[in-house]
Amino acid sequence: MVQPKNPFHGQLGRRALLQNGTLFLLGSGLVSGISGKLLADESLDQPLVHVGLITDMHYADKDSNGSRNYRDTLKKMESAAIQFEKTRPGCVIELGDFIDSAGSVEKELANVTRINKEFSKLPGKKHYVLGNHCVEALTKEEFLGEVGQSKSYYSFDENGVHFVILDGCFRSDGAPYGRKNSQWTDANLTQTQIEWLKADLKAAAGPVIVFVHQRLDVDNKYAVKEAATVRKIFEDSGKVRAVFQGHNHVNDLREIGGVHYCTLMAMIEGPADSHNAFSTLNVYRDGSIRLTGFHNQKSQKWS
């Protein structure tokens, strides 16, 4: 069987350039700047893949609490829909905490149905990463059944790019989150999932982009307990280019062992008239990756 050509083949060097207050790490590095500030390059006009990203929507039919305006998520989704209709991503991935706590299984299922009605209107195939709030009162089977997804972790290929969806919603003893049986600070991938990840990366023919809810670039309460182990697996594979994660509700970016870890801003934070956050992701044939952020989500670029 002939393997598809890897558009990221070859080793990339690094060099830094500061221009107009924006840091460009050229080669395998990052271009970080304000939302929407991107480099112009005619050779990158046609991406291999174009993906929509949203995280931490925390939708619930309940009153606001602090910076979280739960019902406003519906209005924020309307803004995302308008933008995504302009560029038509091939798929849209939500990175967890699709819903917030609602007090009962029935109410949480109703909230999943309501927000998924809006999410399903977005162009492209939909992918759901499990967040701790998704399976606080619900079981994984109930949540996934409601959104029509069969697995909580899996991989898929699009035009030579390999995408990996991970599930950090397991307790230290390996039990899956559900029915209020867990603490959000006890997030794990389980050994079975880690072995699956190793085999999946070994078989991957193209460059790899990973999506997960809890963080993999830190070793604190926002991370999965096996974060250091997973980072080593990524580095050893030589294929993982970027990891996109949520959970922390902030813009953050780190490079560890040649892998870029991008934490995306939560959609839930702030009222709809002053805050929103979502993005689109482009992967190009020459190895470049562009994250175009909207509203409070920062834009990033790896060359």
Side-chain angles (χ1 to χ4, degrees), residues 3-10 48 160 204-208 238-239 241 285:
Q3 295 293 339
K5 184 177 180 181
N6 182 348
F8 282 62
H9 180 72
L48 291 170
V208 178
K239 300 176 182 178
R241 297 298 183 250
R285 188 169 300 280

Side-chain angles (χ1 to χ4, degrees), residues 166 189 194 197 201 215-220 223-238 240 243 245 254-261:
L166 295 178
L189 291 186
I194 288 173
L197 175 63
L201 293 180
R215 295 183 65 163
L216 293 173
D217 59 332
V218 294
D219 296 290
N220 59 28
V224 299
K225 296 292 182 64
E226 303 82 7
T229 298
V230 175
R231 292 196 299 267
K232 183 65 163 52
I233 292 171
F234 290 165
E235 294 163 24
D236 289 347
S237 77
V240 179
V243 177
Q245 50 204 9
R254 298 170 188 236
E255 181 186 353
I256 305 174
V259 179
H260 297 287
Y261 296 82

Side-chain angles (χ1 to χ4, degrees), residues 185-230:
T185 53
D186 182 27
N188 300 267
L189 291 186
T190 74
Q191 191 59 40
T192 299
Q193 187 174 178
I194 288 173
E195 293 304 318
W196 169 86
L197 175 63
K198 290 179 181 177
D200 185 76
L201 293 180
K202 183 177 181 180
V208 178
I209 310 294
V210 177
F211 303 94
V212 63
H213 181 65
Q214 295 89 346
R215 295 183 65 163
L216 293 173
D217 59 332
V218 294
D219 296 290
N220 59 28
K221 65 182 180 180
Y222 293 105
V224 299
K225 296 292 182 64
E226 303 82 7
T229 298
V230 175

Side-chain angles (χ1 to χ4, degrees), residues 84-138:
F84 290 170
E85 280 296 331
K86 294 177 182 178
T87 59
R88 305 292 299 180
C91 68
V92 180
I93 302 173
E94 65 88 10
L95 274 70
D97 284 357
F98 201 50
I99 58 170
D100 202 85
S101 304
S104 72
V105 171
E106 292 74 22
K107 288 181 179 179
E108 292 202 5
L109 283 173
N111 286 339
V112 174
T113 300
R114 181 65 187 92
I115 188 60
N116 196 47
K117 179 181 179 181
E118 301 306 315
F119 186 66
S120 297
K121 294 177 182 178
L122 302 179
K125 181 175 175 56
K126 311 306 182 296
H127 296 275
Y128 303 80
V129 178
L130 287 183
N132 50 293
H133 278 278
C134 299
V135 286
E136 182 176 355
L138 302 180

